[in-house]
């Protein structure tokens, strides 16, 4: 019975759970699907899962275009002149740098940055069980932080409500890609992907080689113009023919970025940590306070750039074993696209929603629980629904839960879900009658009815 | 579903992959504490070997950098080689120690290196009579 309760924590995860629950069965479905097809994050996959990109590829085509156009102009207009007057190595060096830049860029964009797969429902249930040690009658949401000691320094691990797990240290959840990424640096729109543990070295080599390339082109173009103006041609005409303008503007930002990232690499920091100031000015006496730093520039650089290449944890191209609980999976598959447009700010009201969610799904979709199961659950919302929304999310970022409890919220709620919620609430009532006497029944249904009217998003 | 025990990660030494060696109470009736600790400790050592920083890994890193990381497309990394070793070790442990006791170890890589999952078959201890 307890397992049944926990299984309904995240129906979205259920659509991927068959792959993990039965990972030792070798049966194949009629059309074996690959795991990337049911990947819950907002990523796009190409070449049957070999290539991974963020949902918004952002400015990647622009980046590629700028590089190609600049180099094209360089090769077309400057190289012939410089080969004549200087050396044939100019286009060779330019070509090598160009190839290096493009390969690094593509590797950064198409590599999995270190995405952590979401916790299976069993795992999520286990975490909640471990935390909820006071007793199982009252449902408390998992606390948002857990403190651990790393190298004798206290580090707070946050609980990720989307991925249903405590984030490992240095991991952050990217809202654009909707994934937890290990050693999250930043989400780079130029590259169209997050920069994290697995592709940081590609990103770094991209910006370093791009700095060299732009400096090289800039230098060559200046040389070209100087030589041409000495030869008597018009300066303006020479400038027009050159990729000088693009180079000039981009070179400063690229050089600045390279310098910044060199500093980060040398101190074993991520952009995320640096911006948040996680380790700086904590205690004046200690130096750096970064528990991950090896306190040596060489070691830090080697670790970040030349360390062992960790594998991709999401196994994009693995085959999905056929689902055991097909009705459940198909039901959650239907719901999945409807709730794809969820908002992060609604995460804080998840606790109450989870409880109500469980009751909805226990009678409607899954039918795994015997009718007597909601016996304990109906008592929970009437006890905790009113105090919980105001008390529980106080450490959270937004006050949306208070809105949820007291005012109707203008949330875009898909009509399908709302309708199903109302229907299932009516269907729960017989179960309520089984469990509790009529006064509390009316109170419980009143609270639930009120909650449904305020239009909260049913699924996390 | 079957009762499962999750062995969580131990972050006390940083972000390296290491699992807690604390013996879970649910396995007390099934398994020796020593055997469990030995399994987890060996796994931890194997992961440490995969992530070890040393001459060999730096060489691999530098070589990869020089070839613009195209070398990763054709060559198997040191980490992947150790992962295969770990998979073999887990299979071996399952066959020799865990399966005879009605337990199943799941390779942590299938759980994103978050947990070591031990599934308990035949609920003799719970007695719900499957």
């Amino acid at each position: 019975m307890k397992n049944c309760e926990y299984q309904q924590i995240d129906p979205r995860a259920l659509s991927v759970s068959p792959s993990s629950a039965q990972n030792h069965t070798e049966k194949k479905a009629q059309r074996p699907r690959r795991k990337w097809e049911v990947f819950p994050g907002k990523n796009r996959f190409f070449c049957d899962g070999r290539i991974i990109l963020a949902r918004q590829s952002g400015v990647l085509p622009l980046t590629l275009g700028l590089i190609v156009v600049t180099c094209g102009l360089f090769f077309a207009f400057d190289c012939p002149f410089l080969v004549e007057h200087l050396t044939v190595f100019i286009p060779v060096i330019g070509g090598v740098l160009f190839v290096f830049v493009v390969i690094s860029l593509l590797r950064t964009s198409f590599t999995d940055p270190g995405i952590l797969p979401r916790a299976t429902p069993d795992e999520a249930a286990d975490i909640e069980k471990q935390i909820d040690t006071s007793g199982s009658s009252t449902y408390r949401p998992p606390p948002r932080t857990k403190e651990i000691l790393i190298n004798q320094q206290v580090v707070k691990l946050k609980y990720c409500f989307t991925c249903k797990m405590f984030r490992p240290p240095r991991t952050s959840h990217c809202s654009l890609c909707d994934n937890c990424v290990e050693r999250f640096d930043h989400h780079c729109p130029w590259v169209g992907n997050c920069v994290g543990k697995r592709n940081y070295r590609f990103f770094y080599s991209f910006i370093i080689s791009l700095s060299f390339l732009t400096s090289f082109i800039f230098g060559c173009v200046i040389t070209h113009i100087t030589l041409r103006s000495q030869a008597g041609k018009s300066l303006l005409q020479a400038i027009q023919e050159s990729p000088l303008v693009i180079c000039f503007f981009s070179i400063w930002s690229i050089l600045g970025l390279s310098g910044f990232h060199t500093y980060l690499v040398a101190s074993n920091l991520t952009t995320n940590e640096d911006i948040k100031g996680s380790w700086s000015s904590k205690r004046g006496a200690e130096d750096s306070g970064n528990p991950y730093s090896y306190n040596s520039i060489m070691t830090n650089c080697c670790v970040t750039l030349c360390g062992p290449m960790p594998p991709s944890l999401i196994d994009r191209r693995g085959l999905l074993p056929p689902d055991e609980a097909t009705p459940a999976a198909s039901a959650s598959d239907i719901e999945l696209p409807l709730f794809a447009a969820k908002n992060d700010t609604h995460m804080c009201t998840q606790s109450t929603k989870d409880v109500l969610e469980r009751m909805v799904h226990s009678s409607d979709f899954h039918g795994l629980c015997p009718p007597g199961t909601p016996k304990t659950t109906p008592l929970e919302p009437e006890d905790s629904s009113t105090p919980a929304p105001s008390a529980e999310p106080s450490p959270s970022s937004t006050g949306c839960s208070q809105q949820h409890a007291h005012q109707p919220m203008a949330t875009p709620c898909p009509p399908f879900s709302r309708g199903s919620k109302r229907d299932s609430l009516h269907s729960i009532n017989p179960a309520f009658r089984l469990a509790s006497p009529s006064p509390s029944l009316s109170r419980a249904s009143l609270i639930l009815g009120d909650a449904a009217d305020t239009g909260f998003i049913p699924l996390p | 579903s079957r009762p499962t025990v999750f062995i969580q990660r131990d972050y006390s030494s940083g972000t390296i992959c290491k699992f807690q060696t604390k013996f879970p109470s649910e396995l007390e009736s099934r398994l020796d504490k020593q055997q469990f600790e030995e399994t987890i400790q060996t796994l931890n050592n194997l992961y440490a070997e995969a992530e070890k920083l040393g001459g060999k890994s730096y060489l691999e890193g530098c070589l990869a950098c020089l070839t613009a990381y195209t070398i990763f497309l054709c060559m198997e990394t040191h980490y992947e080689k150790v992962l295969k070793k770990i998979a073999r070790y887990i299979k071996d442990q399952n066959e020799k120690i865990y399966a005879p006791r009605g337990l199943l170890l799941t390779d942590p890589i299938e759980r994103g290196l978050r947990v070591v999952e031990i599934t308990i078959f035949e609920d003799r201890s719970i007695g719900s009579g499957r």
Side-chain angles (χ1 to χ4, degrees):
Chain A
M1 267 171 27
K2 227 180 177 187
N3 283 340
C4 176
E5 214 177 298
Y6 290 130
Q7 262 174 2
Q8 291 127 35
I9 281 174
D10 188 2
R12 273 181 66 184
L14 274 176
S15 65
V16 272
S17 77
S19 65
S20 40
Q22 298 97 39
N23 52 9
H24 288 276
T25 55
E26 293 302 315
K27 300 175 278 173
K28 287 213 194 287
Q30 43 286 34
R31 188 208 144 226
R33 289 195 300 169
R34 296 205 186 257
K35 288 184 186 166
W36 64 264
E37 297 181 46
V38 294
F39 187 68
K42 291 184 195 167
N43 288 92
R44 292 190 294 174
F45 298 89
F46 300 100
C47 290
D48 199 21
R50 287 182 184 88
I51 291 177
I52 176 171
L53 260 183
R55 149 108 29 117
Q56 309 145 10
S57 63
V59 205
L60 174 64
L62 177 67
T63 312
L64 265 176
L66 275 175
I67 295 172
V68 168
V69 163
T70 311
C71 290
L73 286 173
F74 169 72
F75 286 122
F77 294 110
D78 296 294
C79 279
F81 184 86
L82 289 169
V83 164
E84 238 174 80
H85 289 82
L86 281 179
T87 166
V88 75
F89 282 117
I90 303 249
V92 170
I93 297 174
V96 165
L97 280 176
F98 171 71
V99 165
F100 203 86
V101 165
V102 171
I103 291 181
S104 301
L105 171 62
L106 293 179
R107 277 301 259 173
T108 313
S109 305
F110 296 153
T111 306
D112 167 19
I115 296 174
L116 275 179
R118 298 192 182 179
T120 57
D122 292 334
E123 272 180 70
D126 186 70
I127 292 178
E128 291 186 18
K129 201 162 59 176
Q130 278 176 18
I131 290 160
D132 189 23
T133 50
S134 65
S136 49
S137 55
T138 50
Y139 173 76
R140 260 201 340 257
R144 288 183 132 233
T145 59
K146 180 164 89 170
E147 290 194 352
I148 55 165
L149 270 181
I150 296 182
N151 293 334
Q152 282 80 51
Q153 189 156 343
V154 175
V155 173
K156 270 196 180 154
L157 297 186
K158 282 193 176 169
Y159 183 80
C160 182
F161 281 101
T162 318
C163 305
K164 299 279 179 192
M165 60 177 178
F166 279 99
R167 281 184 213 132
R170 307 195 100 175
T171 304
S172 192
H173 191 95
C174 175
S175 44
L176 286 166
C177 304
D178 202 25
N179 292 313
C180 270
V181 177
E182 281 192 290
R183 205 186 181 277
F184 181 74
D185 196 86
H186 65 285
H187 182 100
C188 185
W190 295 97
V191 152
N193 201 2
C194 289
V195 177
K197 183 162 90 169
R198 294 186 77 242
N199 64 352
Y200 187 73
R201 65 192 72 194
F202 305 142
F203 177 74
Y204 186 74
S205 68
F206 167 61
I207 55 176
I208 292 289
S209 51
L210 190 62
S211 315
F212 280 120
L213 181 66
T214 42
S215 315
F216 179 73
I217 293 182
F218 193 70
C220 289
V221 164
I222 295 286
T223 316
H224 181 190
I225 290 176
T226 318
L227 289 176
R228 274 215 191 216
S229 55
Q230 278 176 355
K233 277 213 174 155
S234 128
L235 189 62
L236 213 60
Q237 195 184 23
I239 289 179
Q240 273 172 352
E241 285 174 4
S242 69
L244 182 67
V245 178
I246 304 176
C247 267
F248 185 76
F249 288 115
S250 58
I251 201 171
W252 306 116
S253 40
I254 304 266
L255 281 178
L257 193 65
S258 303
F260 174 62
H261 275 280
T262 309
Y263 156 71
L264 287 182
V265 165
S267 32
N268 205 333
L269 278 175
T270 63
T271 309
N272 204 26
E273 285 165 357
D274 188 70
I275 287 178
K276 281 190 193 164
S278 316
W279 314 119
S280 63
S281 66
K282 264 232 164 114
R283 290 157 228 162
E286 278 169 55
D287 49 346
S288 87
N290 178 6
Y292 312 109
S293 169
Y294 291 84
N295 292 320
S296 147
I297 290 182
M298 251 339 263
T299 319
N300 283 339
C301 290
C302 288
V303 166
T304 315
L305 303 174
C306 307
M309 182 71 179
S312 173
L313 296 173
I314 55 176
D315 188 25
R316 308 184 287 278
R317 302 200 63 235
L319 289 167
L320 269 183
D323 336 299
E324 204 175 63
T326 354
S330 56
S332 43
D333 274 345
I334 293 168
E335 293 170 282
L336 190 61
L338 291 174
F339 300 116
K342 76 166 171 60
N343 201 342
D344 274 6
T345 55
H346 295 289
M347 223 82 81
C348 50
T349 51
Q350 185 158 320
S351 58
T352 349
K353 283 182 228 158
D354 268 351
V355 170
L356 298 165
E357 189 54 46
R358 216 171 290 135
M359 290 190 293
V360 170
H361 285 277
S362 64
S363 33
D364 245 9
F365 294 105
H366 300 284
L368 294 168
C369 297
T373 311
K375 204 181 288 193
T376 51
T377 52
L379 296 172
E380 301 162 32
E382 61 182 337
D383 290 335
S384 59
S385 70
T386 333
S390 40
E392 170 265 321
S394 43
S396 79
S397 46
T398 62
C400 57
S401 56
Q402 273 118 15
Q403 288 174 18
H404 155 78
H406 304 294
Q407 300 152 17
M409 211 155 53
T411 27
C413 192
F416 168 86
S417 54
R418 192 184 294 205
S420 74
K421 186 120 208 122
R422 291 239 171 84
D423 291 338
S424 28
L425 282 173
H426 289 304
S427 65
I428 289 177
N429 284 333
F432 271 94
R433 270 187 218 112
L434 270 177
S436 43
S438 26
S440 46
L441 159 68
S442 51
R443 244 173 64 207
S445 48
L446 203 74
I447 289 171
L448 287 174
D450 185 51
D453 284 333
T454 57
F456 60 92
I457 295 178
L459 266 188
Chain B
S1 68
R2 299 187 184 98
T4 328
V5 180
F6 294 98
I7 315 296
Q8 299 286 339
R9 283 272 293 267
D10 175 9
Y11 295 115
S12 57
S13 316
T15 51
I16 58 164
C17 185
K18 196 173 160 195
F19 291 97
Q20 293 178 356
T21 48
K22 181 170 151 291
F23 187 59
S25 49
E26 294 93 328
L27 296 178
E28 258 161 24
S29 58
R30 306 268 186 146
L31 194 63
D32 286 338
K33 184 175 171 182
Q34 207 179 356
Q35 267 168 335
F36 171 80
E37 278 180 7
E38 195 191 303
T39 308
I40 302 290
Q41 199 54 55
T42 314
L43 280 177
N44 286 344
N45 292 341
L46 283 169
Y47 282 114
E49 187 195 320
E51 296 183 18
K52 196 175 66 155
L53 309 157
K56 189 164 181 253
S57 71
Y58 289 152
L59 194 65
E60 192 186 56
C62 287
L63 185 68
C65 178
L66 289 173
T67 61
Y69 301 106
T70 49
I71 201 164
F72 286 146
L73 297 169
C74 33
M75 197 178 85
E76 194 181 57
T77 68
H78 172 66
Y79 208 114
E80 284 168 351
K81 287 192 185 111
V82 179
L83 282 179
K84 286 196 173 157
K85 205 161 139 188
I86 290 172
R88 282 196 301 268
Y89 174 74
I90 288 182
K91 183 157 170 262
D92 184 61
Q93 288 279 291
N94 270 331
E95 280 169 8
K96 289 195 184 139
I97 300 176
Y98 290 84
R101 288 171 174 72
L103 300 169
L104 180 68
L105 269 184
T106 305
D107 195 334
I109 194 73
E110 295 181 32
R111 296 287 177 270
L113 291 182
R114 285 188 309 264
V115 286
V116 176
E117 191 177 307
I118 302 179
T119 323
I120 302 173
F121 293 83
E122 304 160 47
D123 305 327
R124 288 180 304 208
S125 46
I126 298 177
S128 62
R130 274 177 178 259

